[in-house]
Amino acid sequence: MRRLATRGAAGDVGEVAAPAADSSDCARVRSLSPWRLIDLCATWNTGVCFPSTAWSRASSGVARQGLNEAEELSSAWEAHLEPLKAPRPQGLGSRERGLVLRMARQQPPPWVHAAFLLFFLSLGGAIEIPMDLTQPPTITKQSVKDHIVDPRDNILIECEAKGNPAPSFHWTRNSRFFNIAKDPRVSMRRRSGTLVIDFRSGGRPEEYEGEYQCFARNKFGTALSNRIRLQVSKSPLWPKENLDPVVVQEGAPLTLQCNPPPGLPSPVIFWMSSSMEPITQDKRVSQGHNGDLYFSNVMLQDMQTDYSCNARFHFTHTIQQKNPFTLKVLTNHPYNDSSLRNHPDMYSARGVAERTPSFMYPQGTSSSQMVLRGMDLLLECIASGVPTPDIAWYKKGGDLPSDKAKFENFNKALRITNVSEEDSGEYFCLASNKMGSIRHTISVRVKAAPYWLDEPKNLILAPGEDGRLVCRANGNPKPTVQWMVNGEPLQSAPPNPNREVAGDTIIFRDTQISSRAVYQCNTSNEHGYLLANAFVSVLDVPPRMLSPRNQFIRVILYNRTRLDCPFFGSPIPTLRWFKNGQGSNLDGGNYHVYENGSLEIKMIRKEDQGIYTCVATNILGKAENQVRLEVKDPTRIYRMPEDQVVKRGTTVQLECRVKHDPSLKLTVSWLKDDEPLYIGNRMKKEDDSLTIFGVAERDQGSYTCVASTELDQDLAKAYLTVLADQATPTNRLAALPKGRPDRPRDLELTDLAERSVRLTWIPGDDNNSPITDYVVQFEEDQFQPGVWHDHSKFPGSVNSAILQLSPYVNYQFRVIAVNEVGSSHPSLPSERYRTSGAPPESNPSDVKGEGTRKNNMEITWTPMNATSAFGPNLRYIVKWRRRETRETWNNVTVWGSRYVVGQTPVYVPYEIRVQAENDFGKAPEPDTVIGYSGEDYPRAAPTEVKIRVLNSTAISLQWNRVYSDTVQGQLREYRAYYWRESSLLKNLWVSQKRQQASFPGDRPRGVVSRLFPYSNYKLEMVVVNGRGDGPRSETKEFTTPEGVPSAPRRFRVRQPNLETINLEWDHPEHPNGILIGYTLKYVAFNGTKVGKQMVENFSPNQTKFSMQRADPVSRYRFTLSARTQVGSGEAVTEESPAPPNEATPTAAYTNNQADIATQGWFIGLMCAIALLVLILLIVCFIKRSRGGKYPVREKKDVPLGPEDPKEEDGSFDYSDEDNKPLQGSQTSLDGTIKQQESDDSLVDYGEGGEGQFNEDGSFIGQYTVKKDKEETEGNESSEATSPVNAIYSLA
């Protein structure tokens, strides 16, 4: 668990305090207390934020001071909130998970920021006169200068003013009196000058267009509004038109014009299809700023939709759609193959010729553009070309303003926001593709409508006083200034001897009551005008207080607060503050009085409680008011809820014990996961704890205790982890989660000595993880109150230590315990102990003397901290003198950490000493440091610059060094600026970006390398010191010789089959000369075996090569390089593709076989082998079946009888009378019948299909006499079904 500290320990600054309890608005401010901001209510006086009526004479310097403080507060606010953005760990058992700053997830409401801005600006705001005093009119509200109204509504032209007596109003229209009474539609609001033009009964709003001006008048003068130009919004219809299909060749550029109807204000343009689908835009297809749709090159897929321009009008909230364009794209590749869209060379694949870029908008090579100061500059370049060009933006002579420039519309537009005069100049856009580039230069001129330098302010004078009105404005062209009084030109006004006009200033001397009037300053040029009213009021008023009397304000201890005392008087009174009726004025130390009279108390202490009196005095009298300030103790949670890990179903208690000021009402509430916690029937909320019965998994999360009073609050957070039943560990030791140690307690100081003290403490619980270290921290209340610093570190086995101390420090100590899990919360602080003072024993470190301008030297040092000050009023004695002149030392006493010596010569060495001093004495004599006054730019450039070309990429430089007296500073380096002017190769675009080579020290020669060969270069030399570059030398030109080219690009090896390898490549990116050809070296390899290297030479235009493989197994390694006359350049190496899974022989063999099996020669070879094997099998089988020669019976047609004896060897008679081919005989290649060993077959003698084999493979069956020839022929089909017959027929 960690505290979410809204308020630090003693000495913390910045807590918000609140005003009297009966202030309703300040009650809202109290909720701000967690944000540690300034005490708003202390300045608001019973809930009303009074603008400074007594601050009429506050100078512009005071206003700037207030703004600077507002900026500092804003920065502090951001720094305060920054840690809140850090992620919070939430791992199981992590006691760090509760560590967040208090109010981490709260954000101040918007009105808080407005209140702060109003408060700080009020320190130097405009003059305000109480409304019960007579005063001329002041315009408080008016319509904008360009007032565009909706024609469907009534017209409202605002004009409101204040004054005493209340002013009357009248209007002019187009510089003529506008008689409102004659027009029944026009009326004026009561007690206001606002015009209302009512069209409920008819009428056309356009009839009332024109220029209006409001006049507010009372007996002391007339105030004028701006000239308000009234215009009626217009949203004209799109003219009807029939659009023919747009026919365009694929790859050509195209512009679809929108030409929207002119509206007021101009409509917003966007493109969609007729089916209301948005048109996809990219760098090829995009909408220009003028609303037209540009195609850098048209592709076939652009026909898939139509294109309709849409205009959205702001006031009428209508969208008008133009008739859609349809495209007809003529192409050489009529099929819209979607696969070609991602093709690396899509255009070539579709047969589209590549083209160099050309500009579609703007036309030509140059144009100009004018922009007003403070507006946005939009530059646009849209180019056509194939491939689609890329756009890049540059500014001649400088860089684009990175903080204001942004690229839009796929880099086709450059927008520079809030343009100023330094943004004028020449910009150019560069459109490039691989075919070339083109540029367009835009000359930008920045003009300016008038803007204020010194706007005239109301002038309040006492009778007989002097004063002046100043009206200064700037613009381009320079604006003219015209003075008016009460709405009339000053020249036609009655003469006033007390008034003198001096250009932009009116001087008043010895003013009288009759001098009261309202003056107008009108400054204008061709781009606009500014009109300001400023009245002169002559009053004789004794001081008066403007806030309620006897205010009561309560603030929190150690905060910063501000007490305001609004007052008025004429002559302007002086204001002083007193406390508890004491006679000394409060200013200095812990108090600071602003020129407007506000009193700031930098840090509230208990002794600051009391009654504060502000007294305003002028020659007519005095007035006073009192503020009773009561200091309250801060609210603090001293026993905070702890992170806990519990089992489901158990009971858990979260403690939250609070200490607060007893006079304030305390409220304790709880949050769960930063949301208000609903206290259900399973929960019990007490003043100092929260109990949860029967913990469920949904109870897991962070719990925040919020202790608040009406002035401040404190928060503490803990994380509850709920374990499921099965997650309960069986090991009892493992069930005890380790945690951070509890904080040490009961700190005690003993053995008090002048430079040491003994600190003793009682260790807290180690939470199952032994304590390894104790960190002792201290805080002092003089230099950095509320900030804790590490003092020393001790082992975890001790609980008492002697601390070495520094003189004159009011110490307070605390102790933090550390174990392997983390650090404990800090202990409660010890009592304070102040050591006695002594002179400083050391001097400030890091003393430097450097010039920030050419005629000064700034002496700086690192200020000493509280532990080295050794006494009150630490200050520094700064001494300096010219070195080697032995002149007397100059010295000055400084309380800060810098001092600027003015009117010094350029770059002269000085001896510097900075010595510390306090009220007890001086530190020892400091060391002398050598510093230098400011540098100026060098006056001379290197001369006799000589260039010698070393090789194609390097040159040697030699120059004459400049004289040391011309350097005017420390010579840092000689620097060469060089740029590539052109290439010796025709039509090769080169970047002319300036590059530089530095040669540190005072040297006469150097080498510039990394040049591009075969190029023309220019070079200039300068001298560089700490201020910058000196003048440039004479420009030298040189040419680098031809070099070797870079490697060929995109070297690709493809293998369409196992017989052919194709090579392709692109020309080198940097030819570095004239290419004369390419050299290809390749070698076959198979595992560790490498073949003979082969070499091929190609012409410079050849980028392809095909070769036949020597065998289907070997791979090839190719090395390709380009050649110029100088030699071969960098080579690129590729290998032919490896067969899949080459590392596995079996798989490789299988894959190779699969590849070979698809080849025709292999199929034929396998068929021939199969046929030969089959024939051999058949012959062997016949041989085996016959067993040798077979005797043939004389009568083959006589069947064998059972009585006929067989031969012993099983032979039988065989006749070959039939000399015709058998059914299964083979036909030779020439068409003849193959002659077998016998023309007869056993098939003629066997029963068709009934022959069988024994298990040993021998043939069995009943042999019969050969059937009749016809019968045999009739049974051919049945015989063929027998496998035996089939085999014999083949034989």
Side-chain angles (χ1 to χ4, degrees):
M1 199 288 328
R2 295 299 296 264
R3 175 188 302 277
L4 311 180
T6 45
R7 158 202 48 63
D12 196 4
V13 181
E15 185 74 17
V16 173
D22 56 352
S23 170
S24 59
D25 285 342
C26 284
R28 291 201 302 266
V29 179
R30 290 169 193 149
S31 65
L32 293 177
S33 57
W35 294 303
R36 309 177 59 158
L37 303 178
I38 291 180
D39 185 353
L40 275 181
C41 287
T43 68
W44 279 34
N45 302 300
T46 66
V48 179
C49 187
F50 288 95
S52 175
T53 56
W55 303 335
S56 53
R57 296 287 179 84
S59 64
S60 59
V62 177
R64 285 193 298 271
Q65 181 181 2
L67 288 174
N68 290 339
E69 291 189 1
E71 292 173 1
E72 291 174 6
L73 178 63
S74 176
S75 301
W77 174 252
E78 291 297 330
H80 178 68
L81 287 185
E82 186 62 29
L84 309 186
K85 304 173 184 176
R88 178 173 61 84
Q90 294 191 8
L92 180 63
S94 171
R95 300 177 66 85
E96 184 63 25
R97 63 172 64 92
L99 176 57
V100 288
L101 292 178
R102 62 186 302 197
M103 298 308 291
R105 299 188 181 274
Q106 299 192 32
Q107 294 294 330
W111 68 268
V112 174
H113 302 290
F116 276 106
L117 184 58
L118 173 64
F119 173 77
F120 284 112
L121 292 180
S122 65
L123 294 177
I127 299 173
E128 297 288 341
I129 302 177
M131 287 306 298
D132 61 330
L133 298 177
T134 58
Q135 56 186 290
T138 301
I139 300 290
T140 58
K141 189 176 184 181
Q142 56 183 318
S143 295
V144 295
K145 292 180 180 179
D146 290 315
H147 189 31
I148 302 175
V149 296
D150 192 335
R152 300 170 299 179
D153 298 332
N154 292 337
I155 295 176
L156 214 66
I157 310 177
E158 291 184 313
C159 177
E160 296 182 9
K162 66 178 182 177
N164 188 3
S168 61
F169 299 88
H170 73 270
W171 287 81
T172 62
R173 179 186 176 196
N174 298 329
S175 301
R176 294 186 178 184
F177 176 72
F178 184 39
N179 194 340
I180 298 173
K182 288 186 176 182
D183 193 331
R185 295 193 186 94
V186 183
S187 62
M188 189 183 300
R189 286 182 175 175
R190 187 181 179 186
R191 296 181 182 177
S192 169
T194 298
L195 290 182
V196 179
I197 306 176
D198 193 344
F199 296 103
R200 286 179 295 184
S201 58
R204 297 180 64 252
E206 291 79 4
E207 297 176 356
Y208 291 88
E209 291 185 324
E211 188 177 76
Y212 292 79
Q213 190 167 27
C214 174
F215 293 73
R217 174 177 299 165
N218 67 13
K219 65 179 181 178
F220 300 115
T222 304
L224 278 64
S225 72
N226 289 323
R227 296 187 296 274
I228 301 168
R229 185 185 177 196
L230 179 67
Q231 294 175 285
V232 178
S233 173
K234 298 176 178 62
S235 53
L237 297 176
W238 223 305
K240 295 296 182 180
E241 55 183 341
N242 294 323
L243 301 176
D244 296 329
V246 179
V247 181
V248 61
Q249 182 69 39
E250 187 174 21
L254 175 65
T255 302
L256 299 181
Q257 295 183 346
C258 181
N259 297 326
L264 185 70
S266 299
V268 177
I269 304 300
F270 57 97
W271 286 81
M272 303 185 77
S273 66
S274 57
S275 59
M276 302 306 291
E277 293 291 333
I279 300 300
T280 302
Q281 299 189 27
D282 50 28
K283 77 172 186 177
R284 184 179 67 87
V285 182
S286 63
Q287 176 185 321
H289 185 63
N290 59 2
D292 294 346
L293 190 65
Y294 293 90
F295 295 75
S296 294
N297 50 77
V298 175
M299 299 303 293
L300 186 63
Q301 64 260 27
D302 296 333
M303 284 199 309
Q304 294 178 356
T305 185
D306 54 10
Y307 302 86
S308 177
C309 182
N310 296 261
R312 179 168 58 85
F313 294 90
H314 171 68
F315 278 92
T316 59
H317 302 289
T318 58
I319 296 177
Q320 297 188 27
Q321 188 176 49
K322 185 176 182 177
N323 287 344
F325 292 94
T326 57
L327 300 186
K328 182 178 181 182
V329 180
L330 306 179
T331 178
N332 299 325
H333 195 298
Y335 302 105
N336 188 14
D337 189 352
S338 60
S339 64
L340 295 180
R341 298 183 186 179
N342 299 322
H343 194 279
D345 198 353
M346 175 181 65
Y347 297 98
S348 298
R350 294 199 55 81
V352 177
E354 296 179 335
R355 292 183 292 102
T356 57
S358 62
F359 283 111
M360 306 173 70
Y361 179 88
Q363 300 290 333
T365 59
S366 64
S367 59
S368 62
Q369 192 165 332
M370 189 274 287
V371 63
L372 291 180
R373 180 180 186 270
M375 306 297 286
D376 285 1
L377 170 65
L378 183 67
L379 305 177
E380 191 172 37
C381 281
I382 301 176
S384 65
V386 178
T388 304
D390 294 311
I391 305 293
W393 290 91
Y394 304 91
K395 183 180 181 182
K396 291 186 177 179
D399 297 327
L400 296 175
S402 58
D403 56 333
K404 301 193 297 181
K406 61 179 180 179
F407 302 103
E408 300 177 352
N409 198 16
F410 310 98
N411 268 29
K412 299 178 185 180
L414 169 65
R415 182 182 297 275
I416 300 178
T417 58
N418 193 20
V419 171
S420 56
E421 285 76 3
E422 56 264 25
D423 294 319
S424 60
E426 289 191 349
Y427 297 78
F428 68 90
C429 57
L430 184 70
S432 59
N433 62 11
K434 68 179 182 179
M435 301 301 294
S437 62
I438 188 174
R439 71 166 61 185
H440 182 93
T441 302
I442 306 173
S443 178
V444 174
R445 295 174 294 117
V446 178
K447 300 292 185 179
Y451 56 93
W452 290 117
L453 299 177
D454 283 308
E455 184 178 0
K457 300 292 191 299
N458 294 338
L459 188 61
I460 301 176
L461 301 173
E465 280 192 321
D466 299 339
R468 63 178 58 201
L469 293 177
V470 180
C471 177
R472 291 194 182 99
N474 199 4
N476 188 5
K478 182 72 176 176
T480 59
V481 175
Q482 178 191 13
W483 283 102
M484 295 182 289
V485 57
N486 296 328
E488 300 294 334
L490 194 61
Q491 298 82 352
S492 60
N496 185 344
N498 305 107
R499 180 180 65 208
E500 177 186 348
V501 180
D504 55 13
T505 304
I506 300 179
I507 303 171
F508 299 92
R509 293 185 178 89
D510 192 21
T511 55
Q512 302 302 320
I513 299 294
S514 59
S515 300
R516 292 181 290 190
V518 182
Y519 288 83
Q520 288 83 32
C521 174
N522 185 83
T523 174
S524 61
N525 64 12
E526 61 188 70
H527 302 300
Y529 75 93
L530 293 173
L531 177 67
N533 292 278
F535 64 68
V536 177
S537 183
V538 182
L539 297 172
D540 212 357
V541 180
R544 59 161 67 180
M545 292 296 168
L546 303 179
S547 60
R549 303 186 64 82
N550 301 323
Q551 304 169 63
F552 172 57
I553 297 176
R554 298 181 297 176
V555 295
I556 295 296
L557 188 66
Y558 303 124
N559 286 340
R560 186 172 84 174
T561 190
R562 219 184 279 256
L563 305 181
D564 189 18
C565 181
F567 64 95
F568 182 78
S570 180
I572 301 299
T574 58
L575 187 77
R576 293 184 299 170
W577 284 90
F578 303 94
K579 180 185 175 185
N580 295 331
Q582 297 177 359
S584 60
N585 183 30
L586 297 179
D587 197 4
N590 196 33
Y591 302 101
H592 178 69
V593 179
Y594 290 92
E595 290 188 27
N596 62 7
S598 294
L599 174 66
E600 180 188 64
I601 306 176
K602 298 177 182 178
M603 182 189 300
I604 293 291
R605 303 177 183 276
K606 282 291 186 181
E607 55 265 30
D608 292 323
Q609 183 168 288
I611 297 176
Y612 291 80
T613 304
C614 59
V615 180
T617 308
N618 68 8
I619 60 175
L620 300 178
K622 70 176 183 179
E624 65 180 43
N625 200 356
Q626 290 184 344
V627 179
R628 183 160 67 93
L629 187 67
E630 194 172 278
V631 180
K632 301 296 183 182
D633 290 329
T635 302
R636 168 172 293 190
I637 301 175
Y638 67 90
R639 180 165 293 181
M640 296 159 281
E642 298 286 344
D643 292 350
Q644 297 190 40
V645 180
V646 298
K647 292 193 298 182
R648 185 174 57 186
T650 59
T651 299
V652 65
Q653 185 179 57
L654 301 173
E655 281 191 305
C656 182
R657 297 190 180 182
V658 183
K659 179 181 179 182
H660 71 290
D661 194 292
S663 65
L664 301 177
K665 181 181 179 182
L666 176 67
T667 302
V668 178
S669 60
W670 288 86
L671 307 175
K672 181 179 185 296
D673 297 330
D674 302 316
E675 297 292 338
L677 175 65
Y678 170 71
I679 306 297
N681 55 8
R682 292 188 303 107
M683 297 183 183
K684 180 181 179 182
K685 174 181 170 296
E686 297 176 323
D687 291 340
D688 57 358
S689 66
L690 174 70
T691 304
I692 307 175
F693 302 96
V695 172
E697 292 180 354
R698 65 177 180 273
D699 295 324
Q700 179 168 299
S702 63
Y703 289 81
T704 305
C705 175
V706 182
S708 58
T709 66
E710 56 264 41
L711 295 184
D712 68 339
Q713 68 178 16
D714 194 13
L715 294 87
K717 178 179 286 190
Y719 197 86
L720 178 64
T721 302
V722 180
L723 299 178
D725 293 338
Q726 61 273 21
T728 304
T730 57
N731 189 325
R732 183 176 179 275
L733 294 177
L736 298 176
K738 294 182 180 181
R740 303 190 204 191
D742 290 345
R743 66 172 70 189
R745 57 188 176 88
D746 297 341
L747 272 63
E748 183 180 5
L749 297 178
T750 58
D751 300 342
L752 304 177
E754 205 171 285
R755 295 289 184 94
S756 66
V757 69
R758 175 176 291 277
L759 175 65
T760 305
W761 63 90
I762 297 177
D765 190 348
D766 63 5
N767 289 323
N768 308 313
S769 178
I771 296 175
T772 58
D773 298 288
Y774 287 103
V775 178
V776 177
Q777 296 181 326
F778 75 94
E779 177 261 348
E780 53 82 26
D781 59 357
Q782 183 178 357
F783 288 88
Q784 291 180 298
V787 179
W788 290 89
H789 308 273
D790 288 348
H791 184 282
S792 49
K793 192 174 185 179
F794 300 98
S797 57
V798 304
N799 68 329
S800 181
I802 295 179
L803 308 179
Q804 298 300 320
L805 308 180
S806 298
Y808 201 73
V809 178
N810 194 16
Y811 283 100
Q812 189 177 33
F813 301 97
R814 69 183 188 185
V815 181
I816 299 174
V818 181
N819 63 11
E820 65 176 7
V821 178
S823 301
S824 72
H825 297 297
S827 68
L828 296 178
S830 69
E831 59 182 343
R832 286 194 177 273
Y833 174 61
R834 179 184 289 276
T835 55
S836 58
E841 296 180 357
S842 61
N843 287 300
S845 60
D846 198 23
V847 178
K848 297 178 182 178
E850 298 175 344
T852 59
R853 296 182 180 178
K854 66 180 181 181
N855 59 352
N856 77 357
M857 177 178 66
E858 183 180 61
I859 303 174
T860 60
W861 57 91
T862 300
M864 301 166 64
N865 56 29
T867 58
S868 56
F870 286 15
N873 294 325
L874 178 67
R875 50 198 179 271
Y876 305 97
I877 302 174
V878 182
K879 299 180 181 180
W880 73 93
R881 69 179 180 185
R882 290 272 298 270
R883 187 181 184 184
E884 298 175 354
T885 61
R886 313 310 300 176
E887 62 184 14
T888 59
W889 289 90
N890 303 283
N891 67 82
V892 67
T893 300
V894 179
W895 272 260
S897 61
R898 61 185 290 272
Y899 180 74
V900 179
V901 180
Q903 303 303 319
T904 61
V906 174
Y907 200 65
V908 172
Y910 281 84
E911 295 178 341
I912 301 171
R913 295 177 181 174
V914 179
Q915 184 179 25
E917 181 184 25
N918 63 22
D919 288 354
F920 290 95
K922 297 180 181 180
E925 280 296 319
D927 296 332
T928 300
V929 176
I930 304 300
Y932 286 85
S933 58
E935 301 179 65
D936 201 357
Y937 294 106
R939 298 199 311 264
T943 58
E944 299 296 329
V945 179
K946 297 179 182 179
I947 300 175
R948 182 167 62 90
V949 178
L950 300 178
N951 52 46
S952 60
T953 61
I955 60 170
S956 172
L957 291 177
Q958 188 171 350
W959 60 88
N960 289 344
R961 293 177 288 189
V962 299
Y963 294 104
S964 59
D965 60 343
T966 66
V967 177
Q968 301 196 109
Q970 181 183 4
L971 194 152
R972 298 287 181 87
E973 62 185 29
Y974 287 91
R975 184 180 295 167
Y977 289 100
Y978 60 94
W979 62 95
R980 191 181 182 191
E981 188 71 18
S982 62
S983 172
L984 295 179
L985 295 173
K986 294 182 179 180
N987 300 324
L988 180 62
W989 179 87
V990 299
S991 171
Q992 295 183 344
K993 180 180 179 181
R994 285 177 176 259
Q995 297 176 287
Q996 65 183 46
S998 298
F999 310 105
D1002 190 10
R1003 59 168 70 179
R1005 62 181 60 85
V1007 174
V1008 178
S1009 58
R1010 296 185 179 181
L1011 301 175
F1012 285 96
Y1014 212 53
S1015 300
N1016 294 318
Y1017 275 89
K1018 289 185 178 181
L1019 179 142
E1020 297 171 344
M1021 293 284 296
V1022 297
V1023 180
V1024 182
N1025 63 13
R1027 187 74 184 275
D1029 293 2
R1032 306 204 171 189
S1033 68
E1034 178 185 358
T1035 302
K1036 296 291 184 178
E1037 298 184 0
F1038 63 92
T1039 300
T1040 53
E1042 196 171 7
V1044 297
S1046 61
R1049 293 181 296 171
R1050 292 189 283 277
F1051 186 30
R1052 305 174 294 280
V1053 179
R1054 295 188 175 94
Q1055 183 173 305
N1057 51 55
L1058 291 178
E1059 300 175 355
T1060 307
I1061 297 178
N1062 295 332
L1063 309 180
E1064 296 182 11
W1065 63 89
D1066 291 346
H1067 297 300
E1069 182 179 4
H1070 301 293
N1072 295 335
I1074 300 174
L1075 291 180
I1076 62 173
Y1078 295 92
T1079 298
L1080 176 68
K1081 300 177 181 179
Y1082 60 95
V1083 61
F1085 65 93
N1086 187 357
T1088 59
K1089 296 181 179 180
V1090 180
K1092 180 181 179 182
Q1093 178 174 283
M1094 308 297 291
V1095 179
E1096 297 281 350
N1097 291 313
F1098 308 114
S1099 68
N1101 294 326
Q1102 183 173 347
T1103 58
K1104 296 181 179 180
F1105 176 68
S1106 297
M1107 61 168 287
Q1108 299 296 320
R1109 298 174 61 102
D1111 61 77
V1113 177
S1114 298
R1115 296 176 61 193
Y1116 289 82
R1117 184 177 295 111
F1118 300 92
T1119 302
L1120 179 68
S1121 60
R1123 304 192 313 275
T1124 62
Q1125 294 289 350
V1126 178
S1128 296
E1130 180 184 354
V1132 58
T1133 301
E1134 292 288 343
E1135 294 183 356
S1136 60
N1141 301 323
E1142 187 180 39
T1144 306
T1146 304
Y1149 177 81
T1150 304
N1151 292 335
N1152 286 335
Q1153 292 304 314
D1155 293 337
I1156 295 173
T1158 61
Q1159 307 300 315
W1161 62 270
F1162 182 79
I1163 295 174
L1165 177 63
M1166 291 297 102
C1167 290
I1169 294 174
L1171 182 60
L1172 291 175
V1173 170
L1174 184 60
I1175 293 174
L1176 289 175
L1177 289 174
I1178 293 172
V1179 171
C1180 291
F1181 190 85
I1182 293 174
K1183 291 272 189 185
R1184 179 180 177 185
S1185 299
R1186 289 180 178 177
K1189 294 182 180 179
Y1190 296 87
V1192 181
R1193 298 180 61 87
E1194 293 181 357
K1195 292 184 178 180
K1196 67 175 183 175
D1197 53 340
V1198 180
L1200 287 172
E1203 67 279 10
D1204 292 338
K1206 295 182 179 180
E1207 297 291 331
E1208 290 181 2
D1209 57 358
S1211 63
F1212 53 89
D1213 292 337
Y1214 181 81
S1215 172
D1216 61 350
E1217 95 179 26
D1218 293 332
N1219 193 19
K1220 58 183 178 182
L1222 300 175
Q1223 291 175 357
S1225 62
Q1226 299 294 319
T1227 306
S1228 65
L1229 295 177
D1230 58 358
T1232 61
I1233 304 300
K1234 273 189 174 183
Q1235 187 68 36
Q1236 307 293 334
E1237 290 186 8
S1238 175
D1239 291 335
D1240 247 340
S1241 173
L1242 290 175
V1243 176
D1244 295 334
Y1245 302 93
E1247 293 292 329
E1250 294 179 0
Q1252 298 180 11
F1253 288 89
N1254 281 332
E1255 291 179 358
D1256 60 356
S1258 60
F1259 181 80
I1260 59 174
Q1262 183 179 4
Y1263 294 96
T1264 59
V1265 180
K1266 182 181 178 182
K1267 298 179 180 180
D1268 294 340
K1269 182 177 181 180
E1270 296 80 5
E1271 186 178 352
T1272 303
E1273 292 175 353
N1275 292 327
E1276 283 178 358
S1277 61
S1278 62
E1279 291 174 356
T1281 60
S1282 170
V1284 179
N1285 292 336
I1287 294 175
Y1288 275 86
S1289 65
L1290 287 174

